[in-house]
Amino acid sequence: LIPREDEHLLENASFKKWLDKLVRLLNVEVSVEGEPPINNGLFVSNHISWVDAVVLASINQFSFIAKEEVKSWPLIGPFGQMARTVYIQRQSKFSVYRSLPQLERQLNLNRSLLLFPEGTTTTGRSALPFFPMLYESAVRAKKPVQSIAIRYTDLNNNFLPEVGFVEEDTLFDTLFRMMKGERIIAHIHFLNSIDENSMTRKEMAIHTQKSISNKLLERLRN
């Protein structure tokens, strides 16, 4: 059955309340710098932890792009379903390429897709090189690309590595570190957007990685 418009709005409102409650339970306070200059398109962010998706979803109706195996993760799997995550297979470049029509369709439905183009997580001090393939979906759908830098600090703006989900960490390792510490501030920085006609996908990947890295390094120096 196709939901009525009011049912769809209720669903979004209920999900937003659930997210706000989850963010508080995770001991996180969200601080947003700037506003997204685009209503919909491809959003790209550095990637520190599974917490990134929860925090970002709490401030905008993002649909995430994630690898297929995330579906089975505790907590994150059900969250991904509610956030209308688009799952892709990442066994090879060819399988990633085959996902482009699916992403293009979602963008043409005026969805806001969020991609973590590093393909892995980092400590958050800088960003790794971005894989360019999935930027092609924005080029094909003629949608802009918006950069987001995310970082975590304590209440005194000191860099906070506890939120990281790197190397041999499990989801519960991250949870334990977050819960035993003080209040965590998740800083979300909306940076400049790119017109889809101005660059190739490789140029977009280089440009967005550089702008996000510069923002992270700038905040570490301050």
Side-chain angles (χ1 to χ4, degrees), residues 44-56 64-67 70 73 76 79 90 114-131 148-152 159 163-167 208-209 212-213 216:
V44 297
S45 171
N46 61 304
H47 199 14
I48 300 169
S49 173
W50 54 268
V51 182
D52 302 343
V54 176
V55 169
L56 288 165
F64 296 88
I65 302 171
K67 55 188 179 182
V70 172
W73 288 12
I76 299 305
F79 161 79
R90 291 174 54 184
L114 197 141
L115 169 68
F116 297 113
E118 291 166 288
T120 187
T121 51
T122 71
T123 61
R125 292 184 180 275
S126 62
L128 296 172
F130 286 1
F131 290 101
I148 302 173
I150 184 168
R151 63 192 182 93
Y152 298 94
F159 175 76
V163 187
F165 181 63
V166 294
E167 297 177 351
T208 52
Q209 190 275 346
I212 290 172
S213 285
L216 296 175

Side-chain angles (χ1 to χ4, degrees), residues 198-209:
S198 63
M199 299 181 186
T200 66
R201 70 188 186 210
K202 290 183 179 180
E203 290 170 337
M204 285 180 177
I206 293 169
H207 178 85
T208 52
Q209 190 275 346

Side-chain angles (χ1 to χ4, degrees), residues 11-220:
E11 175 189 330
N12 288 339
S14 299
F15 184 44
K16 179 67 166 62
K17 287 180 181 178
W18 181 82
L19 280 171
D20 290 342
K21 186 178 294 186
L22 178 58
V23 169
R24 289 195 299 271
L25 287 172
L26 291 173
N27 198 30
V28 174
E29 178 182 329
V30 182
S31 173
V32 179
E33 178 182 297
E35 295 182 2
I38 63 176
N39 292 324
N40 57 76
L42 182 65
F43 291 75
V44 297
S45 171
N46 61 304
H47 199 14
I48 300 169
S49 173
W50 54 268
V51 182
D52 302 343
V54 176
V55 169
L56 288 165
S58 73
I59 62 171
N60 203 341
Q61 290 183 15
F62 291 121
S63 295
F64 296 88
I65 302 171
K67 55 188 179 182
E68 188 77 23
E69 51 265 40
V70 172
K71 274 186 183 181
S72 61
W73 288 12
L75 180 63
I76 299 305
F79 161 79
Q81 296 292 338
M82 288 187 283
R84 299 180 180 178
T85 297
V86 180
Y87 294 101
I88 63 173
Q89 296 181 352
R90 291 174 54 184
Q91 294 92 330
S92 65
K93 287 184 178 180
F94 180 67
S95 61
V96 173
Y97 179 80
R98 289 181 61 184
S99 70
L100 288 174
Q102 179 187 11
L103 301 181
E104 184 183 356
R105 285 193 297 272
Q106 297 303 316
L107 288 171
N108 283 329
L109 290 172
N110 292 326
R111 302 264 296 277
S112 294
L113 294 184
L114 197 141
L115 169 68
F116 297 113
E118 291 166 288
T120 187
T121 51
T122 71
T123 61
R125 292 184 180 275
S126 62
L128 296 172
F130 286 1
F131 290 101
M133 178 67 77
L134 296 180
Y135 285 76
E136 181 66 20
S137 60
V139 175
R140 293 183 181 185
K142 295 182 169 53
K143 296 289 184 178
V145 176
Q146 168 75 55
S147 299
I148 302 173
I150 184 168
R151 63 192 182 93
Y152 298 94
T153 71
D154 63 16
L155 291 171
N156 295 315
N157 204 34
N158 296 312
F159 175 76
L160 201 64
E162 281 82 354
V163 187
F165 181 63
V166 294
E167 297 177 351
E168 301 302 317
D169 276 343
T170 68
L171 182 145
F172 297 104
D173 291 332
T174 309
L175 272 176
F176 178 75
R177 290 194 299 265
M178 292 173 68
M179 293 304 172
K180 75 173 184 177
E182 297 181 358
R183 192 75 166 162
I184 298 163
I185 310 297
H187 301 268
I188 310 298
H189 306 275
F190 284 100
L191 308 177
N192 295 331
S193 61
I194 302 173
D195 185 272
E196 74 283 353
N197 295 315
S198 63
M199 299 181 186
T200 66
R201 70 188 186 210
K202 290 183 179 180
E203 290 170 337
M204 285 180 177
I206 293 169
H207 178 85
T208 52
Q209 190 275 346
K210 185 176 181 180
S211 63
I212 290 172
S213 285
N214 286 344
K215 174 60 71 172
L216 296 175
L217 291 172
E218 169 194 319
R219 294 305 180 184
L220 280 174

